[in-house]
Amino acid sequence: MKYTLDTIQSEHRSLEAILYSLRNLVEHIRGGGFPDFAGLRAMLYYLDAFSARLHHPKEDEYLFQPLRAHTGEAAAIIDDLELDHLRVAAAMRSLEQTLVRYEAGGEREFADFATAAEGFCDFYARHMRKEERLAMPMAEELFSEEEWARLDAGCAASGEPQGALDECEQFRRLYRRIVGAGSMPPGGDRPALRP
């Protein structure tokens, strides 16, 4: 597989692991477990900041824009995926506000938070599957080896400046802390984090 697509899929697996951990923590609380607000805040921060700062910009620059430039047939698919990115950001703001209400209001606010968290997890997982099922195969089919070489080089270089390397390492540490504290997806494989 091409470096760019491998990187995007690896990041999807990392995001899915956090979504899985979020679902597990919601279920733990629903079952009477103590609410770990610090853990919830860490999960939401990771999902929000990693997506906005590292993951979505990579998809935009190294998958969506090249696809849009390559063929008009991709326009509707890319429009939908880009709209999803805006919806993810809006849903995250709403979920963060719901968490604040839950933390301040106590148990009576849990049902709203749980519904919002599960809805967010479902939506984000569906979005990533759409990217893998629609945009990635189209790119594999349409892009030449020369295009892949240019995109892969750009994608690889996007994490090289010192500021980017520092931010990537911060996300790696946070990722390890979150998934290390909770159970992993079925199969027990720890997704590789490649910001």
Side-chain angles (χ1 to χ4, degrees):
M1 180 175 282
K2 309 296 185 273
Y3 177 85
T4 300
L5 298 185
D6 184 53
T7 299
I8 290 170
Q9 284 191 317
S10 178
E11 290 177 0
H12 283 180
R13 300 299 83 79
S14 298
L15 289 162
E16 287 168 352
I18 304 299
L19 294 172
Y20 186 86
S21 295
L22 176 57
R23 283 182 179 283
N24 278 352
L25 187 47
V26 167
E27 281 304 310
H28 169 76
I29 297 167
R30 185 176 280 128
F34 186 78
D36 176 4
F37 290 113
L40 290 169
R41 284 191 302 273
M43 290 174 195
L44 297 194
Y45 173 79
Y46 183 96
L47 290 166
D48 184 18
F50 180 77
S51 295
R53 294 182 196 165
L54 297 177
H55 181 64
H56 290 166
K58 200 172 287 155
E59 291 177 329
D60 292 339
E61 186 167 353
Y62 302 109
L63 182 61
F64 296 171
Q65 290 176 19
L67 267 174
R68 189 182 294 282
H70 207 286
T71 176
E73 296 172 20
I77 293 170
I78 300 307
D79 287 348
D80 183 52
L81 294 173
E82 287 175 337
L83 186 57
D84 275 358
H85 283 185
L86 297 175
R87 289 177 180 141
V88 165
M92 179 53 66
R93 296 290 85 71
S94 177
L95 182 56
E96 288 166 339
Q97 291 170 9
T98 306
L99 176 60
V100 170
R101 286 195 303 275
Y102 171 38
E103 195 166 2
E107 189 175 333
R108 70 179 180 274
E109 299 292 338
F110 172 71
D112 285 346
F113 172 74
T115 298
E118 290 166 342
F120 178 83
C121 290
D122 290 343
F123 174 74
Y124 205 176
R126 280 194 311 272
H127 165 72
M128 289 186 284
R129 284 194 299 272
K130 278 197 297 190
E131 289 174 331
E132 293 181 5
R133 199 177 64 249
L134 300 174
M136 292 174 152
M138 185 179 290
E140 284 192 287
E141 180 182 320
L142 294 175
F143 296 168
S144 68
E145 288 303 315
E146 293 77 20
E147 288 171 301
W148 278 120
R150 182 176 46 79
L151 293 170
D152 287 349
C155 185
S158 68
E160 289 177 0
Q162 189 58 49
L165 288 172
D166 292 345
E167 189 168 38
C168 290
E169 183 52 35
Q170 291 170 4
F171 280 115
R172 282 187 187 95
R173 284 196 304 271
L174 180 58
Y175 173 84
R176 287 192 296 264
R177 192 179 109 214
I178 292 169
V179 299
S183 58
M184 293 304 301
D189 295 331
R190 291 187 181 273
L193 176 61
R194 182 184 292 162

